[in-house]
Amino acid sequence: LALFLPGSALSADKNKPGEKKAYNILFLISDDMNDWVGCLGGHPDAITPNIDRLAERAILFEQAHCSAPICNPSRASVMSGLNPSTTGCYGNRQALRMSPVGFSSVTLPRYFSSQGYFSTGVGKITHGKFPDPASWDEFFPNLNSQSVEGAGPAKKNNNGVNDEGIDWGPLDVSDGEMRDGKITQHLIDLLGRDYDKPFFIAGGWSKPHLPWFAPRSYFEMYDPQTLTMPVVPDDDLDDLPEEALKNTRSSKYRSVTAAGKEREGVQAYLACISFIDVQVGLVLDALDASPHAENTIVVFWGDHGWHLGEKSHWSKSTLWEEATRAPLMIVAPGIKPGTCDTPVSFLDIYPTLVELAGLTPKKDLDGVS
């Protein structure tokens, strides 16, 4: 990427008259979003005009994969720039800081802060159980919490599936009453502020993570009876070894199929993706209207994918493409938009942003720019 950077490395110090401004970072994450977005072609019925609009400005990585197909280790690896095998952070119950390597790691926003940036964020950036106050100069609602309250259902088991672990349904509320709507508004407010330093702003939306609840209008965008359903061949499991079979016919799969709710589940997941798509559009519009529009690097990614019936599985946590492939797109000043079909790891986000911003390279990262 250094070949494409306009001019020499940019200083992150407060700019002198006539100097180029240092690049800001807008770092956006969608939870459990697979490749069911228009620009990736993962589902032909997906309605995602705003994510597609962002992709048109970006380098779209068509084969971007997580380093672990579950929330905590995927996010810990991106934030630390280190593999799960380096930190020992393999599951959702192991905080990055629990191991000596993870404890001493300098996370992505903290590294930018050390280079003269102001770092702040809102929503789910690290796994919800493990806020990381050491990473930030400021966080909403505070350094020790990523919790933002929002509208939800009045009762459980709204979908007729006998499994509290996989619930969904439309809500008669506005976007702004949802947790993710409130996160969007905070991001808009952050982009409207003046800063005396370049900023690293992170926003983490909770959808399409379960439970799949969104305002009713998003469910009405999709007719479950006419949706294209994932292809699940009858003999799809016949060639799998015993160990791989352990990742099939999960409890969620058994519950959904027993209730005959596959179509409604696909509708609900797509509804939540379209809800996040609108949030992306609102943040993009706020950036475009701000004084930061011309010198801000934008990153959008999903922490991992999700199965919706493929391999007889309704969940994540597998090493099949449905669980490992997710969106990754980067917009940077001076970088011509396009697509990249070379497989890349989310581990590569950290060193790539450091190089794009013209900062001193961070040593001892497992990813590459």
Side-chain angles (χ1 to χ4, degrees):
L1 287 174
L3 294 174
F4 298 96
L5 282 170
S8 58
L10 298 173
S11 169
D13 296 327
K14 195 169 182 179
N15 302 106
K16 298 176 182 178
E19 284 187 344
K20 282 188 176 181
K21 290 184 178 181
Y23 292 146
N24 303 307
I25 307 293
L26 180 59
F27 188 78
L28 304 173
I29 312 167
S30 182
D31 201 354
D32 281 20
M33 181 177 282
N34 65 12
D35 60 4
W36 285 16
V37 294
C39 56
L40 289 177
H43 194 288
D45 303 330
I47 302 171
T48 57
N50 294 292
I51 294 173
D52 298 344
R53 170 163 64 107
L54 178 60
E56 290 175 356
R57 305 182 184 187
I59 298 296
L60 172 65
F61 295 91
E62 296 177 318
Q63 286 295 330
H65 296 264
C66 62
S67 54
I70 191 169
C71 294
N72 185 50
S74 175
R75 291 164 182 265
S77 67
V78 171
M79 298 300 284
S80 67
L82 302 173
N83 264 310
S85 56
T86 300
T87 64
C89 184
Y90 291 107
N92 279 350
R93 298 181 180 180
Q94 301 161 303
L96 170 68
R97 303 299 187 182
M98 287 174 65
S99 74
V101 174
F103 183 80
S104 62
S105 66
V106 179
T107 60
L108 177 58
R110 176 49 54 198
Y111 189 70
F112 271 80
S113 289
S114 75
Q115 301 289 303
Y117 278 65
F118 170 71
S119 64
T120 185
V122 58
K124 183 177 175 181
I125 310 300
T126 54
H127 189 50
K129 296 177 182 178
F130 305 120
D132 193 53
S135 289
W136 310 97
D137 298 318
E138 175 185 290
F139 204 87
F140 181 83
N142 60 68
L143 289 172
N144 293 301
S145 176
Q146 298 181 135
S147 178
V148 178
E149 298 299 321
K155 61 184 181 67
K156 296 181 179 180
N157 296 116
N158 293 265
N159 57 359
V161 174
N162 188 28
D163 188 334
E164 290 186 5
I166 184 164
D167 200 5
W168 63 71
L171 297 177
D172 292 312
V173 299
S174 68
D175 286 18
E177 294 174 84
M178 299 290 292
R179 177 179 190 266
D180 286 333
K182 295 180 179 182
I183 289 168
T184 296
Q185 185 57 56
H186 190 74
L187 287 169
I188 291 170
D189 293 344
L190 287 173
L191 290 169
R193 285 165 54 175
D194 292 324
Y195 298 90
D196 59 4
K197 295 180 178 182
F199 61 69
F200 184 107
I201 293 175
W205 290 296
S206 64
K207 299 303 178 191
H209 193 290
L210 283 166
W212 297 327
F213 290 98
R216 184 174 298 277
S217 59
Y218 296 99
F219 278 77
E220 291 173 347
M221 293 168 67
Y222 300 98
D223 180 352
Q225 301 311 312
T226 60
L227 280 173
T228 304
M229 294 297 291
V231 176
V232 186
D234 291 337
D235 61 352
D236 203 23
L237 308 184
D238 290 354
D239 60 348
L240 298 184
E242 182 178 351
E243 194 65 27
L245 286 170
K246 294 178 182 178
N247 286 322
T248 67
R249 301 190 178 98
S250 61
S251 62
K252 291 183 178 68
Y253 169 82
R254 295 194 301 271
S255 299
V256 172
T257 54
K261 296 289 185 176
E262 295 95 331
R263 286 189 169 275
E264 289 85 351
V266 169
Q267 176 199 29
Y269 187 79
L270 284 168
C272 289
I273 285 181
S274 289
F275 170 58
I276 293 300
D277 177 77
V278 169
Q279 309 313 304
V280 170
L282 291 171
V283 172
L284 276 184
D285 291 344
L287 175 63
D288 289 346
S290 78
H292 317 297
E294 299 302 319
N295 67 307
T296 297
I297 295 167
V298 183
V299 185
F300 177 77
W301 60 290
D303 55 356
H304 50 71
W306 226 86
H307 290 248
L308 287 100
E310 305 94 338
K311 295 293 183 187
S312 299
H313 191 60
W314 279 73
S315 195
K316 45 200 172 188
S317 306
T318 79
L319 296 182
W320 285 300
E321 184 174 353
E322 285 77 16
T324 67
R325 186 188 186 212
L328 173 61
M329 54 195 75
I330 300 176
V331 180
I335 303 297
K336 184 179 179 180
T339 58
C340 174
D341 61 5
T342 301
V344 298
S345 168
F346 290 163
L347 277 172
D348 302 333
I349 293 173
Y350 190 147
T352 299
L353 290 182
V354 168
E355 183 173 348
L356 280 172
L359 305 185
T360 303
K362 176 73 170 68
K363 298 180 180 178
D364 303 321
L365 298 179
D366 289 336
V368 296
S369 174

